[in-house]
Amino acid sequence: MNPVLVEAMRGGTRESAHRGAIAVLDADGVVVATIGDIERPIFPRSAVKVLQAIPLVDSGAAEQLGLDDEELAVACASHNGEPAHTTVVARMLGKAGLDASALECGTHWPYREIVQREMAAAGREPNALNNNCSGKHAGFLCLACRLGAGLDLRRYAKGYVAPEHPVMRAVTATLQATTGFDLERAPRGTDGCSIPTFAIPLRHLAHAFARVGTGTGLGAGHARAAKRLREAVARHPFMVAGTDRFDTKVMQRLGERVFCKVGAEGVFCAALPERGLGVAIKVDDGNNARAAEVAMAATIEAGLDLDDDAQGFMRALSDVTLRNWNGIEVGALRATAELRASLRLGLR
Amino acid sequence: MNPVLVEAMRGGTRESAHRGAIAVLDADGVVVATIGDIERPIFPRSAVKVLQAIPLVDSGAAEQLGLDDEELAVACASHNGEPAHTTVVARMLGKAGLDASALECGTHWPYREIVQREMAAAGREPNALNNNCSGKHAGFLCLACRLGAGLDLRRYAKGYVAPEHPVMRAVTATLQATTGFDLERAPRGTDGCSIPTFAIPLRHLAHAFARVGTGTGLGAGHARAAKRLREAVARHPFMVAGTDRFDTKVMQRLGERVFCKVGAEGVFCAALPERGLGVAIKVDDGNNARAAEVAMAATIEAGLDLDDDAQGFMRALSDVTLRNWNGIEVGALRATAELRASLRLGLR
């Protein structure tokens, strides 16, 4: 039974509680801090997009197509579907000679409600570019460009989301190499954007992020690609998420000190390169990102030596003041004392 | 430690799990079915709006102002802020000689995204009528009309959300009378719409709903008022929630056989009048309504003798097929076997 990581307080009383598990490992695979069950395979969902983008760089596709930092960053994104995101994704597809019609991620209105309203006010409907995964899929299509060189790209890329397509085989092989987990025997599902998703223990996910943050334990090509992607995201943290999003805010504030990426159903992964550590979090209920964000903020606080300003910035994300529609403070969403104590023990 | 009530499945693997507790009682206070800890006080939030609306009817305010069924139903609502809702709330305020400016619930965009987009496309901004609690607050203002008869209503009603205001004292007294829980010693918080919220054990909440569904154990005035409100909601289930909402769909399908009402943070209460039972559910993580709805659907299935059609209708709500953006089935959100077994045991 996993412990409570995050509690929602109202008027001094615990109103709701989120259980979960956290693994913090170094690149040698040493477990530095651990809370809850880190051996049970969990679906990492979008938290591993950076791992899935490695073949885009490692294959030479990014270089061949002249992809820039914004485009590499959006390839690692679960973005808000804001105009800045869709513009970059469309530009990236253009470099491959494609457009939104080649994307197989499906269409949804941008998650950020104000973006929906702005689109509606302008009389616009969403397309696949607005899908939060469109950048990742554009990356897959750019990879297809390279893998299917000399072939009719439209025909070659068709069905790139299928497990047996060369694009997805390359992506899966990289996921296996970076996590060190045998995906042949992993529980498998279909992700929201239709690609396969494999259940992987938090221990392996944290290990992969320690490797991504350091290069240690990766092949030379993977290490170079991971570094390139991390640098691109550090330069353009807006691209991986967007306005008022945790990933964007934290990386805008802390720069290359953190690479973090949220996933659906309460998953969060991060690398803390200066400590050589990787982090993987799963909140049991997985209902949305609120608890995983608070747990990640507390982990970053414990893992990095922050100045007072940065400490205050992160504390506002690990102990969030809740206000009602009249702006009255009604409670807090915060890391539990138990979580903070476990993290301090491992990460001091 | 509460058991898992609801599980989110992906590709045959349990991806996420929701723990919680359920109390099912009869009007004599006998616990008929129980899962998890039903003695811990929990904030019922909007699930008790029908209890909070009893003084509106019992005081004679509803009759004096000539409130109709739609208006009484919206007084019990957490509505979508759709035009049908805001029209009825505005009409209700008009009967009290007031308008939206008297509402103290605060303003938010309607929760339902398509309503936001329709408003944005029409160039409209939200006001307090769109707040999901505006009907309840309009009810409070109508009650103020009666309690402050002969006084300047605007002045008398000002600050009606404060615990010591005569309106809120009447509402709190009714909450105490119907639940039988001493609110003087209950943990207290402030609700999203600024009124006080008291933490009450599930056992007491379920008991209150059994009383509301039967009249047993209530004073004659409260019993009459509860019946009047239930009938109004049964005639206008759209008013208590709206398009594509659980409460509306279930009451449209099952009519007076169920009175159910969702609350924030994973709370759900219901009365099953033909069985003389009340139900109260709290999902520990409280993150949103998805798990509480599934648990409530399973409880209704177990509690009522349904024909095959109705059974199928409810099963689609207790074992929800999850599809991704391409419409591909990726999993399910469903009541656990453990929950179904516990419910069967108590409710057969």
Side-chain angles (χ1 to χ4, degrees):
Chain A
M1 187 86 58
N2 288 329
V4 175
L5 305 181
V6 173
E7 57 190 355
M9 305 297 296
R10 182 170 296 267
T13 301
R14 182 188 276 186
E15 178 166 29
S16 299
H18 298 272
R19 295 177 181 278
I22 304 182
V24 185
L25 271 78
D26 69 18
D28 295 327
V30 175
V31 177
V32 170
T34 175
I35 301 148
D37 179 3
I38 66 170
E39 301 298 340
R40 184 176 71 89
I42 63 106
F43 291 112
R45 310 292 302 274
S46 291
V48 291
K49 278 176 173 167
V50 67
L51 308 181
Q52 295 167 321
I54 285 176
L56 170 66
V57 179
D58 186 36
S59 68
E63 192 175 13
Q64 182 185 328
L65 295 172
L67 298 189
D68 61 28
D69 284 341
E70 284 185 318
E71 291 155 2
L72 290 178
V74 89
C76 303
S78 297
H79 62 70
N80 274 348
E82 299 178 70
H85 301 116
T86 55
T87 300
V88 171
V89 176
R91 189 173 77 207
M92 191 174 171
L93 289 168
K95 289 182 178 178
L98 297 169
D99 59 29
S101 67
L103 294 170
E104 298 182 2
C105 49
T107 293
H108 63 74
W109 284 90
Y111 291 146
R112 189 168 157 75
E113 292 177 352
I114 191 170
V115 180
Q116 294 187 24
R117 298 195 296 264
E118 286 164 356
M119 288 175 66
R124 282 163 46 215
E125 290 284 324
N127 61 31
L129 294 173
N130 295 104
N131 185 307
N132 76 95
C133 297
S134 68
K136 177 180 74 174
H137 280 248
F140 292 156
L141 287 163
C142 289
L143 176 59
C145 245
R146 179 79 176 184
L147 298 181
L151 302 175
D152 172 355
L153 179 57
R154 279 268 175 188
R155 183 172 300 182
Y156 176 78
K158 201 169 167 57
Y160 68 85
V161 295
E164 65 279 6
H165 191 281
V167 165
M168 214 44 60
R169 291 169 70 101
V171 168
T172 302
T174 305
L175 199 58
Q176 173 152 332
T178 51
T179 61
F181 191 64
D182 179 6
L183 300 185
E184 286 291 327
R185 65 184 179 90
R188 185 189 289 195
T190 302
D191 213 324
C193 67
S194 296
I195 70 166
T197 179
F198 300 90
I200 299 171
L202 290 175
R203 187 165 64 78
H204 287 264
L205 293 167
H207 194 182
F209 273 76
R211 288 165 164 161
V212 159
T214 59
T216 306
L218 296 180
H222 283 181
R224 258 196 313 273
K227 183 164 186 291
R228 179 83 185 83
L229 291 165
R230 279 198 296 114
E231 287 170 352
V233 169
R235 288 186 197 114
H236 298 283
F238 188 86
M239 279 296 130
V240 293
T243 305
D244 209 28
R245 287 275 302 278
F246 183 99
D247 286 338
T248 293
K249 286 190 290 188
V250 168
M251 290 192 281
Q252 280 176 340
R253 185 70 179 73
L254 298 178
E256 292 196 57
R257 301 187 70 186
V258 175
F259 175 89
C260 60
K261 182 67 190 67
V262 73
E265 293 289 332
V267 180
F268 223 132
C269 289
L272 306 177
E274 72 193 53
R275 290 285 308 265
L277 299 176
V279 180
I281 298 173
K282 164 73 179 176
V283 175
D284 291 350
D285 60 85
N287 209 337
N288 67 25
R290 78 172 189 179
E293 288 180 356
V294 166
M296 179 56 83
T299 308
I300 293 169
E301 268 184 277
L304 295 183
D305 184 20
L306 300 171
D307 64 29
D308 286 353
D309 273 10
Q311 169 73 25
F313 177 85
M314 291 309 303
R315 183 53 65 111
L317 297 172
S318 68
D319 189 351
V320 182
T321 301
L322 300 178
R323 296 182 185 282
N324 73 5
W325 298 113
N326 286 319
I328 299 166
E329 182 173 336
V330 293
L333 186 70
R334 69 190 188 193
T336 57
E338 185 180 358
L339 170 58
R340 291 199 191 273
S342 294
L343 291 169
R344 266 198 306 271
L345 198 68
L347 295 174
R348 67 186 166 194
Chain B
M1 186 86 60
N2 288 329
V4 175
L5 305 181
V6 174
E7 58 190 353
M9 306 296 296
R10 183 170 296 269
T13 301
R14 182 189 275 186
E15 178 167 29
S16 299
H18 297 271
R19 296 178 180 278
I22 304 182
V24 185
L25 271 77
D26 69 19
D28 295 326
V30 175
V31 177
V32 171
T34 175
I35 302 147
D37 178 3
I38 66 170
E39 300 298 340
R40 185 176 71 88
I42 63 107
F43 290 112
R45 311 291 303 275
S46 291
V48 292
K49 277 176 173 166
V50 68
L51 307 181
Q52 295 167 321
I54 285 176
L56 170 66
V57 179
D58 186 36
S59 67
E63 192 175 13
Q64 182 184 326
L65 295 172
L67 299 189
D68 61 27
D69 284 342
E70 284 186 317
E71 291 155 2
L72 290 177
V74 90
C76 303
S78 297
H79 62 69
N80 274 347
E82 299 180 68
H85 300 116
T86 55
T87 300
V88 171
V89 175
R91 189 173 79 208
M92 190 174 174
L93 288 168
K95 289 183 177 176
L98 298 169
D99 59 28
S101 67
L103 293 169
E104 298 183 1
C105 48
T107 292
H108 63 75
W109 284 90
Y111 291 147
R112 189 168 157 78
E113 292 176 352
I114 193 171
V115 181
Q116 293 187 24
R117 298 195 296 263
E118 286 164 356
M119 288 175 65
R124 283 163 46 215
E125 291 284 324
N127 61 31
L129 294 173
N130 295 104
N131 185 306
N132 76 94
C133 297
S134 68
K136 176 180 73 173
H137 280 248
F140 292 155
L141 287 163
C142 289
L143 175 59
C145 245
R146 179 79 176 184
L147 298 181
L151 303 174
D152 171 355
L153 178 59
R154 279 268 176 188
R155 184 173 299 181
Y156 176 78
K158 201 170 166 57
Y160 68 86
V161 295
E164 65 279 5
H165 191 283
V167 164
M168 214 43 60
R169 290 168 71 100
V171 168
T172 302
T174 306
L175 200 57
Q176 174 153 331
T178 52
T179 62
F181 191 64
D182 179 6
L183 299 186
E184 286 291 327
R185 64 184 179 91
R188 184 190 290 194
T190 302
D191 213 324
C193 67
S194 296
I195 69 166
T197 179
F198 300 90
I200 300 171
L202 290 175
R203 186 165 62 80
H204 288 263
L205 293 167
H207 194 182
F209 273 75
R211 287 165 164 162
V212 158
T214 58
T216 306
L218 296 179
H222 284 181
R224 258 195 314 273
K227 183 164 188 289
R228 179 82 185 84
L229 290 165
R230 279 199 296 113
E231 287 170 353
V233 169
R235 286 187 198 115
H236 298 283
F238 189 86
M239 279 296 131
V240 293
T243 304
D244 208 27
R245 288 276 301 278
F246 183 99
D247 286 338
T248 294
K249 286 189 290 188
V250 168
M251 291 192 282
Q252 280 176 341
R253 186 69 180 73
L254 298 179
E256 292 196 57
R257 301 188 70 187
V258 175
F259 175 89
C260 60
K261 181 69 190 68
V262 72
E265 293 289 332
V267 180
F268 223 133
C269 290
L272 306 177
E274 72 192 51
R275 290 286 307 266
L277 298 176
V279 180
I281 298 174
K282 164 73 179 176
V283 175
D284 291 351
D285 60 85
N287 209 338
N288 66 26
R290 79 172 188 181
E293 288 180 355
V294 166
M296 180 55 84
T299 308
I300 293 169
E301 268 185 278
L304 295 184
D305 185 20
L306 301 171
D307 64 29
D308 286 353
D309 272 10
Q311 168 73 26
F313 177 85
M314 291 309 303
R315 183 53 64 111
L317 297 172
S318 68
D319 188 352
V320 182
T321 301
L322 301 178
R323 297 183 184 280
N324 73 6
W325 298 113
N326 287 320
I328 299 166
E329 182 173 338
V330 293
L333 185 70
R334 69 189 188 193
T336 57
E338 185 179 359
L339 170 56
R340 291 199 191 272
S342 294
L343 291 168
R344 265 198 307 272
L345 197 67
L347 295 174
R348 65 184 167 197

